[in-house]
């Protein structure tokens, strides 16, 4: 018989994790801290790079590898990390990721040579690829009630969206007042706190017998993502026409295309295509990836403008981003609470358009002496609101209805989109800005004033392009996302959860 049975045990999947309202919010704190570690490291080391370069004596050409080593390992191993989370359990992978990330950070912080620093950064990326999917999938199965889930993903989305700016602020403070090494050591402190919380709060989850590792798919997608991310890094430094750039990008596309073909045929795919073919989830992945392309223009070029044109210190530049972070946190939390009633389709495109408006203000008003309170602050507030709406709603939608067995890989795909989108954005916008600067100098000469104007002109062009990316993304997401709300389609309700006896016996085995 398949008579329904109410499952209330902590060991029995979704219902177990969802038990205990107070405990759920403590788990959110652990998951949020783990996610903050991963997002911080995309930017926190950047500000410390000049100090690290002086201390360890490596060249400008080698400097990019401190960033690239992290990006390659993180981007290439994310889907494998997500599937391992489904295979061996979210709790185990979260704890392994935290311990490994903390150890790798300690290695990088204590490095006495360039090679050790790069090894530490690569290890950070590898353990981050285990940590990030486990964190998001834990959140996915912990909050099943639509209203609570909206608030939880609002907080998580705020962390994911604001983490880059927080990294700039924290990196500046640590580098200026302590040492560049503390931009890495700080992760050890965070890992200890989050690891202790994970051990104390997360219930044990058993190995899922229905999950297998698709090794051919793993090799193809890891190779493809590494080639794409490395190719974009080469485009940023050597140019889009460089033979190495072209070869890497072509190889990456070919490997990823082969990966899709393999996933259609294997019995246990690394990435079940049903995850991305659902229009809710597919639209959310697009929103996350496309917004990551545009948002790097904000952090990168606005930081350059504040420090190089307005002569802000690293700490003052970081403080200047705080209003945007506050707006992002508020908008993410509020929009995630609204989404269960209206669905993601009206909210995600609206957030993208608001962000485009903020970038348009920056592009239209930026000059050699633009007033921060008059123009930069309002633009940042609009950006924060727009990005908060996008991240809060898209992260919730991207893991919607994926089920416990696919929660890890669905979560990994979120981070993969962010990583690849950010790499595309960095390479594309840097190239466009460099071209705009060169063209301006050809026309206006190379006087000191012309050089300063050319730098501002390059930022303006980058902001206009970013605004266009956000506006175009709003149209694409409005077309892809279906109408309706998530809760009825997902069948998610507050616990207890009902499953059949056969389903429960499979879990127990």
């Amino acid at each position: 018989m398949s008579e329904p049975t109410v499952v209330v045990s902590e060991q029995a999947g979704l219902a177990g994790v969802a038990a205990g309202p107070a405990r759920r919010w403590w788990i959110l704190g652990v998951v949020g801290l783990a996610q903050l570690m991963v997002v911080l490291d995309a930017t926190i080391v950047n500000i410390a790079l000049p100090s690290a370069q002086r201390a360890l004596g490596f060249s400008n050409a080698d400097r990019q590898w401190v960033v690239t080593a992290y990006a390659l390992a993180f981007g290439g191993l994310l889907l494998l990390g997500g599937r391992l989370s489904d295979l061996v359990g979210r709790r185990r992978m979260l704890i392994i990721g935290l311990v490994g990330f903390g150890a790798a950070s300690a290695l990088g912080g204590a490095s006495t040579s360039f090679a050790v620093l790069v090894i530490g950064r690569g290890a950070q990326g590898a353990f981050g690829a285990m940590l990030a999917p486990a964190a998001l999938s834990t959140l996915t199965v912990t909050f099943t009630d639509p209203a609570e889930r909206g608030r939880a993903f609002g907080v998580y989305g705020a962390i994911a969206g604001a983490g880059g700016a927080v990294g700039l602020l924290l990196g500046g403070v640590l580098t200026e007042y302590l040492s560049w090494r503390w931009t890495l050591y700080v992760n050890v402190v965070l890992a200890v706190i989050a690891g202790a919380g994970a051990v104390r709060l997360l219930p044990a989850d058993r190995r899922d017998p229905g999950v297998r590792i698709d090794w051919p798919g793993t090799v193809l997608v890891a190779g493809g993502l590494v080639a794409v991310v490395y190719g974009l890094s080469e485009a940023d430094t050597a140019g889009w026409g460089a033979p190495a750039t072209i070869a890497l990008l072509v190889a990456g596309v070919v490997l990823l295309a082969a990966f899709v073909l393999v996933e259609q045929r294997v019995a246990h795919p690394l990435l079940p295509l049903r995850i991305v073919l659902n229009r809710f989830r597919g639209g959310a992945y697009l929103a996350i990836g496309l917004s990551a392309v545009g948002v790097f223009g904000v952090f990168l070029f606005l930081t350059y403008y504040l420090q190089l044109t307005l002569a802000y210190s690293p700490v003052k530049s970081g403080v200047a981003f705080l209003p945007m972070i506050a707006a992002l946190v508020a908008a993410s939390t509020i929009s995630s609470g609204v989404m269960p009633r209206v669905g993601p389709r009206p909210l995600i495109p609206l957030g993208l358009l608001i962000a485009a408006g903020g970038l348009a203000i920056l592009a239209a008003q930026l000059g050699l002496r633009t007033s921060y309170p008059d123009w930069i602050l309002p633009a940042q507030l609009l950006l924060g609101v727009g990005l908060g709406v996008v991240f809060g709603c898209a992260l919730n939608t991207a893991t919607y209805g994926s089920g416990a067995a696919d929660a890890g890989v669905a979560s990994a795909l979120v981070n993969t989109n962010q990583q690849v989108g950010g790499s595309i954005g960095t390479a594309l916008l840097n190239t466009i800005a460099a071209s705009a600067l060169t063209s301006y100098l050809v026309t206006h000469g190379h006087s000191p004033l012309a050089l300063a104007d050319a730098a501002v002109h390059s930022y303006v062009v980058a902001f206009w392009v970013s605004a266009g990316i956000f506006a175009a993304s709003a149209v694409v997401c409005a077309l892809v996302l279906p109408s309706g709300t998530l809760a009825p389609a997902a069948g998610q309700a507050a616990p207890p959860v009902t499953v059949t006896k056969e389903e429960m016996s499979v879990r127990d085995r």
Side-chain angles (χ1 to χ4, degrees), residues 162-177:
V166 173
L168 295 173
L169 171 60
L170 190 57
V173 170
L174 293 174
T175 303
E176 188 165 332
Y177 294 110

Side-chain angles (χ1 to χ4, degrees), residues 84-422:
L84 286 173
S85 179
D86 294 329
L87 176 66
V88 305
R90 291 170 288 278
R91 181 180 185 271
R92 291 188 187 91
M93 289 307 298
L94 185 63
I95 294 171
I96 291 171
L98 286 167
V99 172
F101 200 93
S105 300
L107 175 65
S111 58
T112 56
S113 67
F114 172 70
V116 175
L117 178 60
V118 170
I119 290 170
R121 288 288 286 166
Q124 273 188 314
F127 283 106
M130 301 178 190
L131 176 60
L136 183 52
S137 60
T138 297
L139 191 67
T140 299
V141 301
T142 299
F143 290 90
T144 55
D145 175 74
E148 283 193 347
R149 180 181 170 91
R151 292 194 295 272
F153 272 88
V155 174
Y156 189 89
I159 293 170
V166 173
L168 295 173
L169 171 60
L170 190 57
V173 170
L174 293 174
T175 303
E176 188 165 332
Y177 294 110
L178 291 174
S179 162
W180 67 269
R181 297 182 185 276
W182 274 97
T183 61
L184 293 161
Y185 285 149
V186 68
N187 289 314
V188 180
V189 179
L190 298 178
V192 169
I193 297 171
V199 171
R200 174 68 180 85
L201 295 169
L202 295 180
D205 46 359
R206 300 181 180 181
R207 183 184 185 279
D208 191 328
V211 176
R212 300 284 188 278
I213 298 296
D214 165 27
W215 290 113
T218 299
V219 172
L220 287 171
V221 75
L225 289 172
V226 165
V228 168
V229 173
Y230 188 22
L232 292 168
S233 174
E234 285 293 296
D236 191 20
T237 55
W240 291 91
T245 301
I246 296 172
L248 285 165
L249 292 177
V250 170
V253 170
V254 170
L255 288 171
L256 292 175
F259 168 71
V260 173
L261 294 176
V262 167
E263 298 307 277
Q264 292 175 334
R265 290 166 172 79
V266 296
H268 300 279
L270 180 69
L271 175 61
L273 296 183
R274 62 179 178 272
I275 292 177
V276 294
L277 294 179
N278 176 281
R279 285 181 62 191
F280 276 123
R281 290 193 294 267
Y285 291 136
L286 276 175
I288 292 166
L290 292 172
S291 61
V293 173
V295 77
F296 270 74
V298 180
F299 295 144
L300 186 66
F301 295 108
L302 190 53
T303 301
Y304 287 165
Y305 177 77
L306 292 174
Q307 292 193 25
L308 301 181
T309 303
L310 298 186
Y312 283 19
S313 69
V315 174
K316 188 177 180 181
S317 299
V319 171
F321 279 101
L322 288 179
M324 187 177 79
I325 295 173
L328 194 153
V329 171
S332 179
T333 306
I334 294 170
S335 63
S336 295
V338 172
M339 195 181 71
R341 296 193 294 274
V342 302
R345 188 180 189 188
L347 291 174
I348 291 177
L350 176 63
L352 290 165
L353 289 175
I354 293 173
L359 282 165
I361 290 175
L362 279 178
Q365 299 299 328
L366 213 62
L368 287 178
R369 294 179 180 84
T370 300
S371 167
Y372 176 84
D374 289 346
W375 295 110
I376 298 175
L377 178 59
Q380 281 190 323
L381 292 175
L382 279 177
L383 276 166
V385 170
L387 292 174
V389 172
V390 173
F391 282 110
C393 296
L395 287 171
N396 189 346
T397 306
T399 53
Y400 148 77
S402 58
D406 293 330
V409 73
S411 303
L413 202 55
V414 171
N415 292 280
T416 302
N417 275 271
Q418 285 181 311
Q419 179 65 42
V420 174

